[in-house]
Amino acid sequence: MKKKFSRIIAFMMVALTAISAVGCSDSGGTSSVAQEGSSSAAASTAETSSEAPADGKIVSEPLTLTYWSPISQKVSNFVTNYNELAPYIELEKRTGIHIEFQHPPVGQENEQLNIMLASNELPDLIYWNWSNLPGGAAKALTDNILVSLNDQLEANAPNLLALYEEYPDARVDSMLDDGTFYMMPFIKPDKTVRSVQGFQLRGDWLEKLGLESPETIDDWYEVLTAFKQQDPNGNGEQDEIPFTAMKNQNLSDLGLSQFAGAWGIILDFYVDDGKVHYGPAEPVYKEYLTEMRKWYEEGLIDSDFAIADQKQFDAKITTNEAGSFYGLASGNMGRYMNMLIEDQPEFSLNAVYWPETESGERYAIYSEMVRPIVGEGVGITSANEHVTESIKWCDYQYGEEGRLLMNFGIEGESYTMEDGEPVYTDVIFNNPDGLTPDQAVAKYATTFGASTIYDTRYYTQILVLPQQKEAIQIWADGDTSLILPSTTPTVEESSRLASITNEINTYASEMFNKFVMGQEPIENFDQYLEQIKNMGVDEAIEIQQAAYDRYLNRK
């Protein structure tokens, strides 16, 4: 298929404006289920397809498409709909296609998606992380929710196919094991733009206490102990919280869980030397729990780590209580430092390398670091009567013009071209409405909920602080070999896997808190292991192994 894509790209670059969906040949990799699911949509598409109008728009007459997407918290405070954002306003002018966005209430995204899918009242487009859908994209195709895109990509997506040639991993990650393409993906091509979060600590506290940045777990223990005992906030009280964290639905996403890499495990399914494991069921997990228990008992870990919300988490950092945490380069590091620069000019956050194992590896275990696509993208539904136009609308965003629009906004307003490169204007960095750069750029750079590519020039500019620029280099230094890519279990496997993992993940999370807080003696770890095995963890590992093996054979 790769050779076939290459020939099509070459042809499409010459004859893009003359292409329609009529006459597309079968790609050879589409499952029969996917073909059946797309038959009605393909028929209606053939009737509505037409040559691109002379003005360069996708359609010659106005067209409205419905688009269901969660609304990003980056913009939900100042807009209620993506149509209020500059890129989508401009995108409509350029393409002739109006998007009617449908946003579920913040915090109710999963629930609202399930209700919508169950009702079968589908929009034309859905943006979602399809790996998180019960049964995955394969079930969405089987249930006639999504349609296969194979023939449409060959006919109408030259920009995306060109990116697949440039980034083969992206191509592999956006298909099912049988070769079915099911979404127009959000692509993060470079490891730097994927290294958006990691460990952070108060650099000014380190300097005050004459400490070096920690590199091993023993180093971390020494630094956290010093934060606890040596009054780095200078108020004469021992009120510092050396490491703070907040509650999370998934154990693997908890700030404390990121330390597990120092033991060579991830608190989820992971792969080591070709074999799939489940971190909370590994014997070495006991050593990790023992260390976390010691930290908690000595007051080095925030006692509220299992219940604190975002507001409480923020408050502990910005009121000079917390000395370290796990968080984002922009949403945490940049936001806190910009907030406190006037009142606390000495306040500084430094990134920390992933902690070393005893043998010296630095395992980065943040899942999105490993691949350019992690399941997020725009799916075309079976209710869509304008599949061709939808594909072209999505594909425009992958091209140079679309990439600039989605990552930088409006030329002459939010950015200018200097020596052939896009550079943000004062609208972003000295916003007249008092918005921080992160807030201002969100009105123009729609690098969320979109079928586009995350431009590295966007990220390197928006991280204006030297600490932020250093952070993404430090976090990108980690070894990502333990991270399991986005595999696609079969529909039958997905059902069984979900049944097992829902139970074991809940149990593992509950027991993690009990072990760390001392509510359950570490001596009972063997009983915990026995229970998690009784819940079917070995079967879940077998399913994940089979899916991983198939993933490795994708072409």
Side-chain angles (χ1 to χ4, degrees):
M1 184 180 292
K2 183 173 181 179
K3 292 181 179 178
K4 185 173 183 181
F5 278 0
S6 299
R7 293 195 299 270
I8 292 167
I9 292 167
F11 172 74
M12 287 298 298
M13 293 308 177
V14 177
L16 171 60
T17 57
I19 291 173
S20 71
V22 180
C24 298
S25 61
D26 184 80
S27 65
T30 310
S31 67
S32 59
V33 170
Q35 290 175 345
E36 292 170 5
S38 63
S39 59
S40 61
S44 60
T45 299
E47 295 174 2
T48 59
S49 296
S50 61
E51 293 186 358
D55 60 4
K57 293 182 179 180
I58 293 173
V59 294
S60 55
E61 296 182 0
L63 173 65
T64 295
L65 299 173
T66 52
Y67 188 151
W68 188 96
S69 172
I71 188 167
S72 171
Q73 293 185 3
K74 290 183 177 181
V75 297
S76 60
N77 289 332
F78 55 85
V79 300
T80 59
N81 191 283
Y82 281 172
N83 269 328
E84 300 173 57
L85 300 175
Y88 286 114
I89 295 172
E90 179 65 20
L91 193 57
E92 180 173 347
K93 294 177 183 177
R94 297 185 187 183
T95 64
I97 295 176
H98 173 71
I99 301 298
E100 183 181 298
F101 282 103
Q102 302 171 358
H103 300 301
V106 175
Q108 299 180 31
E109 293 86 355
N110 279 286
E111 177 186 355
Q112 292 300 312
L113 177 71
N114 291 331
I115 292 173
M116 179 180 68
L117 298 183
S119 71
N120 204 35
E121 295 181 2
L122 300 174
D124 295 312
L125 309 169
I126 299 175
Y127 185 92
W128 194 246
N129 187 328
W130 299 100
S131 62
N132 292 338
L133 186 73
K139 189 171 191 304
L141 288 162
T142 301
D143 292 346
N144 202 30
I145 293 168
L146 297 182
V147 299
S148 166
L149 304 182
N150 289 52
D151 289 344
Q152 281 288 341
L153 294 187
E154 295 184 4
N156 297 303
N159 294 320
L160 178 57
L161 296 187
L163 289 175
Y164 284 166
E165 289 291 315
E166 186 176 358
Y167 305 107
D169 287 349
R171 177 180 173 276
V172 169
D173 288 347
S174 62
M175 66 166 69
L176 299 181
D177 295 328
D178 66 358
T180 301
F181 291 90
Y182 61 92
M183 68 172 177
M184 304 294 283
F186 177 41
I187 303 174
K188 297 180 179 180
D190 185 80
K191 189 177 180 181
T192 300
V193 301
R194 300 197 295 266
S195 303
V196 298
Q197 57 185 279
F199 289 109
Q200 305 175 38
L201 51 68
R202 290 287 296 272
D204 53 317
W205 287 14
L206 280 183
E207 184 176 355
K208 181 177 181 178
L209 301 181
L211 301 170
E212 297 291 331
S213 184
E215 296 191 12
T216 67
I217 287 297
D218 288 343
D219 292 342
W220 267 98
Y221 177 74
E222 291 179 10
V223 167
L224 297 181
T225 300
F227 282 0
K228 180 68 177 177
Q229 298 177 351
Q230 297 182 31
D231 190 30
N233 67 12
N235 66 354
E237 301 178 19
Q238 198 177 94
D239 58 351
E240 288 82 358
I241 302 171
F243 187 89
T244 191
M246 62 180 173
K247 64 180 178 181
N248 200 292
Q249 292 180 334
N250 301 311
L251 173 59
S252 59
D253 291 333
L254 187 69
L256 287 174
S257 69
Q258 306 304 316
F259 285 112
W263 283 267
I265 61 173
I266 296 177
L267 303 194
D268 201 341
F269 294 99
Y270 68 98
V271 61
D272 187 8
D273 196 22
K275 299 296 182 183
V276 174
H277 302 262
Y278 182 70
E282 289 293 306
V284 73
Y285 181 53
K286 181 179 181 180
E287 296 178 19
Y288 160 77
L289 286 174
T290 300
E291 186 70 17
M292 295 299 102
R293 168 61 189 152
K294 181 176 76 171
W295 289 11
Y296 184 86
E297 189 174 34
E298 295 182 14
L300 308 184
I301 296 173
D302 191 342
S303 60
D304 293 333
F305 78 87
I307 59 173
D309 59 19
Q310 182 70 58
K311 185 177 293 186
Q312 293 168 318
F313 179 78
D314 289 346
K316 290 174 182 178
I317 296 167
T318 57
T319 58
N320 227 19
E321 291 182 83
S324 61
F325 60 95
Y326 181 89
L328 297 160
S330 181
N332 295 117
M333 179 183 283
R335 182 163 61 92
Y336 298 144
M337 292 185 68
N338 284 321
M339 285 172 56
L340 301 174
I341 192 168
E342 291 186 9
D343 295 336
Q344 299 183 48
E346 75 285 353
F347 182 95
S348 179
L349 291 170
N350 292 2
V352 185
Y353 285 100
W354 298 91
E356 292 181 2
T357 65
E358 288 185 355
S359 54
E361 294 92 355
R362 296 186 189 276
Y363 287 117
I365 59 176
Y366 166 53
S367 62
E368 291 189 14
M369 285 186 65
V370 69
R371 306 293 287 188
I373 295 174
V374 290
E376 292 185 21
V378 179
I380 313 294
T381 76
S382 59
N384 192 323
E385 297 182 354
H386 303 278
V387 177
T388 294
E389 294 85 350
S390 298
I391 294 291
K392 290 181 177 181
W393 181 82
C394 289
D395 189 64
Y396 177 84
Q397 299 168 55
Y398 297 115
E400 183 61 22
E401 290 183 2
R403 184 188 304 193
L404 287 171
L405 175 63
M406 304 310 286
N407 284 269
F408 298 95
I410 312 301
E411 185 175 1
E413 185 175 346
S414 56
Y415 80 97
T416 58
M417 296 298 292
E418 299 181 12
D419 297 325
E421 298 293 334
V423 177
Y424 285 122
T425 66
D426 280 350
V427 167
I428 303 301
F429 294 123
N430 294 291
N431 187 267
D433 297 324
L435 299 177
T436 67
D438 190 50
Q439 293 170 327
V441 80
K443 297 180 69 172
Y444 291 94
T446 312
T447 52
F448 41 79
S451 57
T452 189
I453 181 169
Y454 205 158
D455 196 305
T456 56
R457 297 170 296 182
Y458 156 84
Y459 202 55
T460 54
Q461 284 189 67
I462 196 60
L463 298 181
V464 297
L465 300 172
Q467 292 93 333
Q468 291 176 294
K469 296 182 185 298
E470 182 181 35
I472 60 175
Q473 299 299 327
I474 286 175
W475 297 332
D477 186 58
D479 179 346
T480 60
S481 62
L482 295 181
I483 301 173
L484 190 68
S486 295
T487 58
T488 54
T490 66
V491 174
E492 293 76 15
E493 287 174 339
S494 293
S495 176
R496 181 59 182 153
L497 185 63
S499 176
I500 297 172
T501 56
N502 286 342
E503 186 175 13
I504 64 174
N505 285 342
T506 298
Y507 176 67
S509 294
E510 291 175 351
M511 293 303 294
F512 173 86
N513 291 342
K514 289 182 178 180
F515 280 131
V516 172
M517 294 179 181
Q519 298 169 358
E520 186 79 21
I522 293 292
E523 289 74 21
N524 290 349
F525 182 78
D526 289 344
Q527 295 171 240
Y528 155 82
L529 275 187
E530 183 178 357
Q531 179 62 24
I532 211 167
K533 286 185 177 295
N534 291 338
M535 291 178 172
V537 69
D538 290 337
E539 183 183 354
I541 291 172
E542 290 176 5
I543 293 173
Q544 290 281 23
Q545 183 71 57
Y548 177 65
D549 292 341
R550 290 195 303 270
Y551 173 89
L552 294 178
N553 289 321
R554 290 182 188 175
K555 298 179 181 179

